Amino acid sequence: MLALVVAHLVVAGLLPLVSARSRRAAFGVAAVLPAATLLWALAQAGPALGEGVTATTTWAPALGLALSFRLDALALAMIVLVSGIGAVILVYCIGYFGADSPEAPRSAALLLAFAGAMLGLVLADDLLTLYVFWELTSIASFLLIGQSGEQRTESRAAVQALLVTVLGGLGMLLGFVLLGEAAGTYRISEILADPPRGGLVTAALLLILLGAFTKSAQLPFHPWLPAAMVAPTPISAYLHAASMVKAGVYLVARLAPGFADLAVWWVPVVLAGLGTMIIGGWRALGATDLKKLLAFGTVSQLGFLMVLLGAGGRIAALAGVAMLLAHGLFKAPLFMAVGAIDHATGTRDLRELSGLGTALPGTAVAAALAAASMAGLPPFLGFVGKEAAFEAFLHEGGMRGWTVALGLLLGSVLTAAYSARFLWGAFARKPGVEATSVHAPGAVLTTPSWLCAVVGLALGLGYPLVDALAGAYAAAYPDESGYHLALWHGLGLPLLFSAVAIGGGLLLHAARGTVTGLVGRIPADAQRAYERTIAGTGRVAVGVTGRLQAGSLPAYLGVILVTFVLLPGTATVLAAVWPGDQPLYHAAMQVPLGLAVVVAALALVRARRRFTAVLLVGVIGYGVGGLFIVEGAPDLALAQFLVETLSLVAFVFVLRRLPASFQQQRSPRRVQLPKALVAAAGGLAVAGIAVVLSGARVGPSSTSGEFARLAPTEAGADNIVNAILVDFRALDTVGEISVLFIAAAGVASLVLATRYDHRGGGRRSVDSGQGSPQHEEDVLG
């Protein structure tokens, strides 16, 4: 499994080489790997529907970190969408992107990389592994929505999608950590086998749901999905209809068997899902852009899926898996049909389209098949799943069951209405609107949509296959009814609900003029709330930065010292035990060395010349190195001497560009006294914490012992400090060197920007702009 995921990423990295020769061939090459993945998954269907197929690659055994994957019924259903529909859409891209399209090379590589990340996400059997692939899909989505970044609408939509999904992802990561610690394992299958309980789990589940809601565009985070429709149509069809937006739904479905009985889980899921389904369906009735219409429809359907797969119960789980497959199989071809219409006519505005039913009959029939499944007409898979959804909550009964069933009925009425609106808007001949001129879109643009729509019909007729797949997932719930997916369950309330949904939707569509006017009069506040939140955050950040980042190093150091004294300093005083047998010194040489350090520190405070201050700092550093020698650590002393020497040399070079003396004007006593108090408190806190921590150690450090044991054999070194710096913590050392390099570059920039500049043999003032009215205005916003 890991090999398949890695193969996607590797081939994606090589695709630009193929694009250099033929951009359309790159999409064909990219489609091969998802198609092969689908075939592999279907070949594993037997064991996947049973115990599941697992694979684990351990990469940090001492820390218990591993890449764990598991193919089971739910993962298999998602692979049908991720890899199956992914391969179809990549073929569709061959006809969509022109031979000279500048977006084609980037899109081909990123779509395949996204397919690999999404494959890793649905196969992950470890919370941390799942999170890694979760964020990779967010990054890929950002790059695909933003494209080249030249269009402002694209870049804004990409940033919005990234901010919302990554914000939720960070909360979800904290939830994963809390859940893993509460369960004692991060393996998802083990957590579900013995779900933990307690207050920590409650917080974890709420944070995990936050991540799921942001990713799957649930209220109030849904505006990012319609905004993302600025991306090319194949990207919208794949990421924002078939696969990525279902990641949150998938996560809820994955964890629901262990936690659906908890109110902290099902109450937010049901409320957010029903609200999203109704709001998304209502907004779709007012959309005039066909892609926006489908986008709001996707929001609505995601709410539907969230309810089915998160509320718990075997019948709801059956319906959820059926609708999960149905949604991908009807929404992807509808998006592809919109792409074909856009190519053929140059517009997606349903007010300008007329007569395409006769001009593009193949596209119209494929779209009609997909829309029929979306509306829930028999014998399509959408009907099978929707009737099972009604059965799940009508069978449950009670306050929750009836409330959810009626909510789903209202959402389904809206679904049927916007399905009819889509077909009317795209293909009907409208009175007073001239027939739209078209050119044939070509077989590559129409065949993929036909394939998906026909598969949706075939799976509706072949419902036993879907029932076997959904039943393997739903087996995690108790079976009390013996219900199975079917096209006919006899006359009853579920069938009546389906009929009411279709009839009510057609009546709403018949009154589309009035309904569209009502939708337009109700303000859409979610997007405005997002924009106001971002703008407000920016204003607060500028204001806080302008007042706190005032350019005063003493103020910055003072804040750091006060924070240190109040937090770790106070905690140490309250909780630590002061060692009772602490001697003043261990060796006589410590006394003069310590006195030298203290005297140098006191003299440093009184120094007026920069060079004198630098020398005194060096005295302090060399004194500390001498203490290392007395304590029997010559290797540490050598490192200290080298660092101090390099620092001195660097300071001398910097001093060449600075005035010889510090500011001559003495600070008033009312300023000096607080500084002295803060400095003294900070120094005492550091000294106290050092004494307490050194006295708390009762034995040698196990980590140090391992360094000493491994240095000769693993690093070939007798000097343990060098082995740690060069071998055991090599990456840390490289990072520290990089930080020093960046700091040096910053110091050099500041020195060059100073108002003392030796040019032309004389000294003249250079205005840096600091403190000017314009500068203050920029900082304060």
Side-chain angles (χ1 to χ4, degrees), residues 39 332 416 593 735:
L39 295 176
L593 288 171

Side-chain angles (χ1 to χ4, degrees), residues 6 40 59 111 190 196 243 264 294 387 404 516 552 623 637 726 775 781:
V6 172
W40 168 82
W59 59 278
L111 281 172
E190 295 176 3
S243 57
V264 70
L294 293 179
E387 190 178 56
V404 175
T516 302
S552 172
V726 177
H775 173 73

Side-chain angles (χ1 to χ4, degrees), residues 232-250:
T233 299
I235 293 168
S236 300
Y238 188 28
L239 274 69
H240 307 129
S243 57
M244 190 197 85
V245 290
K246 290 191 176 70
V249 172
Y250 165 79

Side-chain angles (χ1 to χ4, degrees), residues 173-184:
L173 175 61
L174 178 57
F176 281 170
V177 173
L178 294 178
L179 182 61
E181 293 301 313

Side-chain angles (χ1 to χ4, degrees), residues 206-526:
L206 290 174
L207 289 168
I208 291 171
L209 287 178
L210 173 65
F213 288 173
T214 56
K215 196 78 162 184
S216 287
Q218 301 296 290
L219 285 176
F221 308 106
H222 64 286
W224 74 262
L225 181 54
M229 291 302 113
V230 297
T233 299
I235 293 168
S236 300
Y238 188 28
L239 274 69
H240 307 129
S243 57
M244 190 197 85
V245 290
K246 290 191 176 70
V249 172
Y250 165 79
L251 179 61
V252 168
R254 175 61 72 196
L255 298 179
F259 303 103
D261 59 322
L262 300 177
V264 70
W265 176 271
W266 70 261
V267 170
V269 166
V270 169
L271 291 179
L274 287 177
T276 303
M277 185 180 187
I278 294 169
I279 293 298
W282 178 252
R283 291 294 307 279
L285 296 180
T288 56
D289 184 298
L290 291 176
K291 278 186 69 176
K292 281 289 182 71
L293 190 157
L294 293 179
F296 283 114
T298 300
V299 170
S300 178
Q301 292 292 312
L302 290 173
F304 189 17
L305 292 171
M306 192 68 72
V307 173
L308 296 180
L309 292 167
R314 179 178 174 276
I315 303 177
L318 288 172
V321 174
M323 286 305 302
L324 188 73
L325 292 171
H327 180 262
L329 291 171
F330 64 64
K331 193 56 67 69
L334 289 174
F335 269 105
M336 287 188 280
V338 171
I341 292 171
D342 200 1
H343 261 251
T345 66
T347 181
R348 301 193 303 260
D349 193 328
L350 57 81
R351 296 167 297 186
E352 300 175 2
L353 297 172
S354 180
L356 294 189
T358 54
L360 300 174
T363 302
V365 173
L369 293 175
S373 183
M374 181 166 66
L377 289 174
F380 293 90
L381 184 57
F383 167 78
V384 174
K386 193 164 291 187
E387 190 178 56
F390 292 141
E391 172 66 29
F393 296 101
L394 291 172
H395 176 79
E396 177 184 327
M399 178 65 73
R400 189 187 93 148
W402 277 98
T403 301
V404 175
L406 291 175
L408 295 182
L409 176 59
L410 176 57
S412 298
V413 169
L414 297 173
T415 301
Y418 66 69
S419 299
R421 177 179 175 81
F422 175 85
L423 292 177
W424 168 82
F427 301 105
R429 185 175 295 280
K430 303 177 182 67
V433 181
E434 294 185 4
T436 307
S437 59
V438 301
H439 61 83
V444 181
L445 283 176
T446 55
T447 303
S449 57
W450 264 98
L451 179 61
C452 291
V454 168
V455 170
L457 174 60
L459 288 180
L461 295 171
Y463 60 83
L465 292 174
V466 181
D467 183 65
L469 178 61
Y473 165 71
Y477 297 98
D479 183 7
E480 299 177 356
S481 63
Y483 183 91
H484 289 277
L485 298 176
L487 275 172
W488 177 253
H489 288 98
L491 300 175
L493 276 178
L495 185 61
L496 177 62
F497 271 43
S498 296
V500 170
I502 300 299
L506 292 177
L507 288 176
L508 271 181
H509 175 63
R512 56 184 172 272
T514 303
V515 172
T516 302
L518 287 174
V519 175
R521 283 199 290 270
I522 298 177
D525 290 330

